[in-house]
Amino acid sequence: MSPSSSPRPFVYVQDRLVCSGVDVTALAEQYGTPLYVYSADAIRERATMLQQAFAAAAPRLNTTLCYAVKANSSLAILKMLGEAGCGFDIVSGGELERVKRAAPQSVGKVVFSGVGKQAWEMDAALQAGILLFNVESEAELELLSERAVALNKTARIALRVNPDVFAETHPYISTGLSAHKFGIAIARARAVYQRAASLPGLKPEGVSVHIGSQIRAVEPFGQALARVRSLVEELRSDGIAIHYVDAGGGFGIEYGEGAFDPAASVASYAKELAAVMQGLDAQLLLEPGRFLVAQAGALVTRVLYTKQNGDKHFVITDAAMNDLIRPALYQAHHEIWPVVKSDRAPQKADIVGPVCESGDFFARDRLLPELEAGDLAALLDAGAYGMTLASHYNTRVHPAEVLVEGGAARLVRRRETLDELMAAEIL
Ligand code: LLP
């Protein structure tokens, strides 16, 4: 595939894998493995693609991307997205701190989601002057009111409503049904807005919704937003001035070998949402995570050993489930590509890490050109929910991260040391 027709910045040039023009083998040699490699160019391209899709579908609609920091919270990536005009969707005081450090000029475009916000986190967000709190319960409304009064601030709020819409995705990342812990049942929302309007220090100005993640169909987004629109109209008739509609994130990508045209698919997503927003006179906020960063990143690993157990062949890599947990946690598929193509025969293998768990695998019975000890392999589409979900299990340090931009790579997080890993412990 040529670089322009591929949804990924990782392509082969003369049998060697390159990321946006930079040789992946050279990166692995310089920075060691496991190594996360991201293309800044590809992330920026996705942000522009999404912005342009909405500009085309709804030229008069004011749309702001609030990148979901949890997908990849690298400071360098946040800085870049801030410069590209994005706001941010945060879910903790820690993520707020990242935005303050990496993109201080964008703090006014931050939305704060999450079911368990604590007083100190509310205080920090009120002091920073974020755009919107997405409140998920009445108890949270009360605490936020209390904190806003104590700090002499006003909190702009949206209620995150649960629209009871089913979206086909993995059960762990589906959120829009009443069986899930998220949001306030849409049927009760009108009454809760009245309560919010009566509490000091709160200004209800938005409605938000998020139905889940890695959703490939556009219809569920439209259905959820249509329910939100009806609510906005009811609230306005109740005298509550709603200026923001936050449609959440969740737009999915293709992890497998299937054809995927990100520009075309995001255009249909934009069309679906724009149709519902038509004439509503509200600013649309979006919280994309995966769509912006997943395909821009790969986890590069080196094969340590291969072995045969009965009729099973195992390829043991230096990356493990603690570096990329998605296969173990969600039975997620990630393409695995050799970093240098060989003409060795294909072989069925389990690609596994060194961690002491049977769940520590990247692929099972995958047909790949034979991999040998010392070879490098790239786990694709690892730019979202890879590094952010990494753990220290088995006392393994976090991978290093490099960002490729304009044909050059720079280290954006060096490999941790064991001293750092144990620094907070007391003997
Ligand atoms: N907004 C809210 C309120 C969210 O909860 C999420 C993701 C997003 C936005 C961004 O969703 P995205 O556009 O990235 O789908 N670890 C899982 C995904 C968990 C998603 C959690 N919430 C995975 O690796 O698939």
Side-chain angles (χ1 to χ4, degrees), residues 62-66 85-88 109 131 283-288:
N62 183 350
T63 305
T64 302
L65 302 187
C66 296
C86 291
F88 298 94
K109 289 195 266 184
L131 178 63
Q283 182 175 342
L284 179 65
L285 308 175
L286 299 167
E287 302 172 355

Side-chain angles (χ1 to χ4, degrees), residues 10 14 16 37 45 48 80 83 119 149 155 222 254 261 269 292 307 353 366 373 418:
F10 293 87
Q14 285 161 358
R16 297 171 70 86
V37 178
E45 190 185 310
T48 307
M80 201 184 89
E83 285 163 0
V149 169
E254 171 61 54
D261 180 342
Y269 171 68
L292 298 188
K307 73 175 187 182
R366 181 81 60 91
L418 286 171

Side-chain angles (χ1 to χ4, degrees), residues 92-387:
S92 70
E95 288 188 349
L96 175 63
E97 190 57 33
R98 285 184 178 273
V99 173
K100 281 165 64 179
R101 291 182 191 199
Q105 79 287 1
S106 309
V107 166
K109 289 195 266 184
V110 165
V111 299
F112 192 172
S113 305
V115 291
K117 302 179 193 75
Q118 299 180 41
W120 73 268
E121 297 176 305
M122 293 175 174
D123 288 1
L126 285 164
Q127 299 287 17
I130 67 162
L131 178 63
L132 201 62
F133 289 83
N134 284 334
V135 173
E136 302 219 18
S137 65
E138 288 172 79
E140 183 190 332
L141 267 186
E142 276 160 37
L143 180 58
L144 184 58
S145 163
E146 222 175 276
R147 297 317 309 160
V149 169
L151 297 179
N152 199 20
K153 301 269 181 199
T154 301
R156 277 179 298 272
I157 66 139
L159 293 187
R160 171 166 173 189
V161 296
N162 190 320
D164 207 18
V165 162
F166 178 69
E168 185 72 50
T169 185
H170 189 278
Y172 285 9
I173 54 178
S174 172
T175 57
L177 284 177
S178 47
H180 299 129
K181 70 179 175 184
F182 298 98
I184 292 171
I186 197 157
R188 281 189 47 242
R190 210 167 164 182
V192 182
Y193 271 97
Q194 287 302 336
R195 171 115 183 84
S198 74
L199 287 170
L202 301 186
K203 202 150 178 263
E205 287 195 21
V207 179
S208 85
V209 73
H210 170 79
I211 55 173
S213 194
Q214 180 55 12
I215 297 167
R216 296 291 306 276
V218 299
E219 294 78 12
F221 294 107
Q223 282 169 24
L225 200 61
R227 293 183 188 181
V228 165
R229 182 185 174 121
S230 307
L231 176 63
V232 169
E233 286 163 348
E234 287 170 2
L235 293 173
R236 285 179 176 166
S237 73
D238 292 344
I240 295 176
I242 299 294
H243 303 301
Y244 303 100
V245 168
D246 180 343
F251 192 65
I253 58 144
E254 171 61 54
Y255 278 94
E257 288 173 309
F260 178 57
D261 180 342
S265 52
V266 91
S268 67
Y269 171 68
K271 237 175 108 185
E272 179 85 15
L273 297 193
V276 182
M277 290 297 289
Q278 176 82 31
L280 188 63
D281 189 26
Q283 182 175 342
L284 179 65
L285 308 175
L286 299 167
E287 302 172 355
R290 187 187 321 263
F291 181 77
L292 298 188
V293 293
Q295 300 197 285
L299 176 59
V300 180
T301 181
R302 200 178 281 282
V303 176
L304 298 173
Y305 304 102
T306 62
K307 73 175 187 182
Q308 193 75 27
N309 272 357
D311 52 9
K312 291 280 285 182
H313 186 71
F314 290 93
V315 172
I316 302 161
T317 61
D318 65 0
M321 66 187 290
N322 70 297
D323 304 307
L324 176 66
I325 203 172
R326 302 194 70 258
L329 195 56
Y330 316 110
Q331 297 81 46
H333 174 94
H334 284 263
E335 286 290 305
I336 301 174
W337 287 3
V339 169
V340 179
K341 270 191 184 168
S342 71
D343 45 17
R344 294 180 213 143
Q347 183 181 38
K348 220 178 231 184
D350 280 19
I351 316 298
V352 303
V355 158
C356 304
E357 298 257 357
S358 300
D360 180 24
F361 62 86
F362 293 124
R364 284 185 159 153
D365 293 326
R366 181 81 60 91
L367 198 60
L368 291 173
E370 186 187 351
L371 287 166
E372 290 180 355
D375 286 350
L376 291 166
L379 294 142
L380 299 188
D381 306 326
Y385 307 108
M387 186 63 161

